[in-house]
Amino acid sequence: MGKIHFLFYVLIIPILGKEKRPLDLPSLCEQADRYELPKPPGNSKLVLFHTGSVTGQNGSWSPIYDAAFLLKKNGDGTGSVMAGFAKIQTDVDDNEYPLILPFDGTVKKALPNEYVFRCDTMNCFATAIQCARRGNIETAGTLAGQYLRQRLKGGFKTMENGRLYDKNPSLLVARITFEYYYQYVLEENADLERALKFMETLQREFPELFSKDPENFFAHYRTLFVQDLRLTVESPEPVKGSIEDKLFRISKVDRYHEEERYQELEKQIHLKGVAVIPELVRLSTSRKLTTVVIHGLNNSPDSRGRLARIATGILSDMIGAHDTRTFRPYIDPTRKEWLNKVDLSDEKQFFIDALSETTGKGSHNDEIPLRILLHRQPKAAIELVDKVVYSQLSDFVSAVMESKLDDEGKFQTLLKAFIRTKGLHLKSLRYHLPRLNSTTVKKRLLSEITSLPNDVNGPYCKAKETKLSLLVMQFDDLALWRNHQAKVKTLSIGLRMELLTHLNHPESGGKNQKLRLAFLASFLSDTEVRTIKQNDKRWEGPHAGFTYDTLSVQNFAAEKIASILELPGEPADHWTEKQWKPFRQKVQTALSKLTLPDLS
């Protein structure tokens, strides 16, 4: 260390109350060197950098500063400092408080219009050691003395009070050393073997920093971390292409900034189905360190995510309702017990049971089990349509459209999803239809039209069959419209009118308007009058034309045509044939000015 000032050896700093002990700075510097703790560059300047704010007198805010060595100050106002042994990236100057202030060694309390410098963090004590390593004994004494006089001392984003180490400055430096290598391990290209070497040396030299007792939280946390680091270093590299290898690859992708890449890697595991579940269960207890940085909440420390965290997250997504617990820990030994009880032999049934709606268990997101099921068992789609909750129906249909199911199966599923109670929205239907072979779709739709029942037993307004008109409206195929028209004319008046009611749908957007008008016009000669019988359940609810006590098919068709053409003079519910007749004539006149397709 070269020639060192005499004060270096005799510096006396109060340790506890009135008791005074010599602070052996040479020994502490030697300890820092032995653990290869980094030094600031020789030309770096000691400064104060802005770390936060505190409430001062009269409720005013005062900025807090801490001592550090300035490493770099960029033109945009950002920079970096070394606070103790830690390199910290700094934010830009704000309008109220400057980022960097000159260091004058003055401790300042929270006073109006003044900044606060208390030197009450472990980093500040470490900065004192750095000053001593550079031979700046007076500044080292100022900082170390100020730190040791503080009643409350801050840790490294933990609730562990640094005052626990006041009686033994060497132990304090050891605690700071652990923190340095703990943070070093978070770096993507960290030398884990080097970090392990120094952490194991700390365990031997300072056993009081560690504990196997879970009640001794911070000491136990350090013990577990060294164990996990040792496991990570000593474990062989995972076999390329294995599930463990894929999990480590996932850990290297930022799920927030590279979401698509992250999901694609997850999907590679998901789509392997039940075959990967035993391996995911095995890895759900793995404490190997990954490169994922888990940012601690409140005062908990940041940490490297364990492999179990990723394995358990993927496993939970896959098994869905098979796990009904509200809280699912990341490292969970009970998964192995579950694996011994669950039946994986029937993959299709396993993933059907994983869906919350089919089991009545929980309310988790069914998207992953559905996608796996539809990828591996695509023909299960049709039987699942009625079991998917409405809020997830759109995701279900999207998964069906991406599955290996043929176009006929996809349309059959799409159709069933659309016509069911609380069915797929028309916008979703329109989005997916063009992605299917039109010939296949129209052939299937024609089959549905032909098989329409003459009547229904339940309320007309809830009849699934009535949505077929909305499907036909999506096509400009004359043959399809003619067959639909011919079939509708044979149906009971209640079902017939329900199939007409959608033809002026507000979301039609003018699509195939002339075909819709021609279809409705063919019913202007249908004079049958609807008769509602009391206690007849078919007429319950808002059925077609429910606001009219008496209504004929021709008048209902005229009203729909007038709505599409936006003709003035809306019919009233008390109208008689005397008022309806001129209204129909007005509609006929408007239609005569148009060239409509021939549906006869």
Side-chain angles (χ1 to χ4, degrees), residues 506-525:
E507 294 184 17
S508 62
K511 188 176 181 66
N512 295 323
Q513 180 171 296
K514 287 188 175 183
L515 280 166
R516 289 185 286 127
L517 289 170
F519 187 93
L520 287 165
S522 69
F523 289 88
L524 288 174
S525 58

Side-chain angles (χ1 to χ4, degrees), residues 145-165:
Q146 176 59 24
Y147 174 82
L148 293 173
R149 280 191 291 272
Q150 292 294 326
R151 186 174 61 87
L152 294 175
K153 300 177 174 68
F156 300 91
K157 201 185 174 187
T158 74
M159 296 178 69
E160 184 180 29
N161 191 341
R163 196 177 183 190
L164 295 171
Y165 306 101

Side-chain angles (χ1 to χ4, degrees), residues 224-343:
L224 288 179
F225 185 81
V226 176
Q227 288 177 1
D228 296 349
L229 180 58
R230 184 182 302 115
L231 171 68
T232 306
V233 170
E234 294 177 352
S235 296
E237 288 289 318
V239 177
K240 188 174 182 180
S242 66
I243 298 302
E244 185 175 5
D245 176 54
K246 291 180 184 295
L247 294 178
F248 274 112
R249 285 170 57 198
I250 289 173
S251 76
K252 296 176 182 178
V253 179
D254 187 327
R255 70 179 306 166
Y256 299 105
H257 296 94
E258 301 174 83
E259 186 177 6
E260 288 187 10
R261 174 64 178 154
Y262 192 94
Q263 291 177 347
E264 179 57 35
L265 290 171
E266 282 188 317
K267 188 177 178 181
Q268 291 177 15
I269 297 177
H270 292 156
L271 298 186
K272 290 183 179 293
V274 296
V276 301
I277 288 178
E279 179 66 357
L280 288 173
V281 169
R282 183 184 74 82
L283 296 171
S284 68
T285 57
S286 173
R287 298 190 62 91
K288 291 183 184 178
L289 302 177
T290 70
T291 54
V292 175
V293 177
I294 309 300
H295 296 290
L297 300 175
N298 299 323
N299 286 314
S300 61
D302 294 346
S303 65
R304 265 203 183 196
R306 278 35 172 196
L307 192 65
R309 185 184 185 96
I310 302 173
T312 303
I314 292 176
L315 180 63
S316 291
D317 287 341
M318 291 180 68
I319 68 176
H322 285 285
D323 188 347
T324 58
R325 296 173 298 171
T326 302
F327 174 70
R328 303 177 183 184
Y330 285 116
I331 298 178
D332 186 4
T334 65
R335 299 283 188 185
K336 293 181 179 179
E337 298 174 18
W338 168 82
L339 183 62
N340 292 331
K341 298 175 183 178
V342 72
D343 182 9

Side-chain angles (χ1 to χ4, degrees), residues 1 136 224 460 508:
M1 296 177 62
N136 193 338
L224 288 179
Y460 288 120
S508 62

Side-chain angles (χ1 to χ4, degrees), residues 210-224:
F210 302 87
S211 174
K212 294 182 179 180
D213 181 7
E215 297 297 320
N216 190 354
F217 178 81
F218 292 105
H220 182 63
Y221 187 91
R222 289 189 281 270
T223 301
L224 288 179

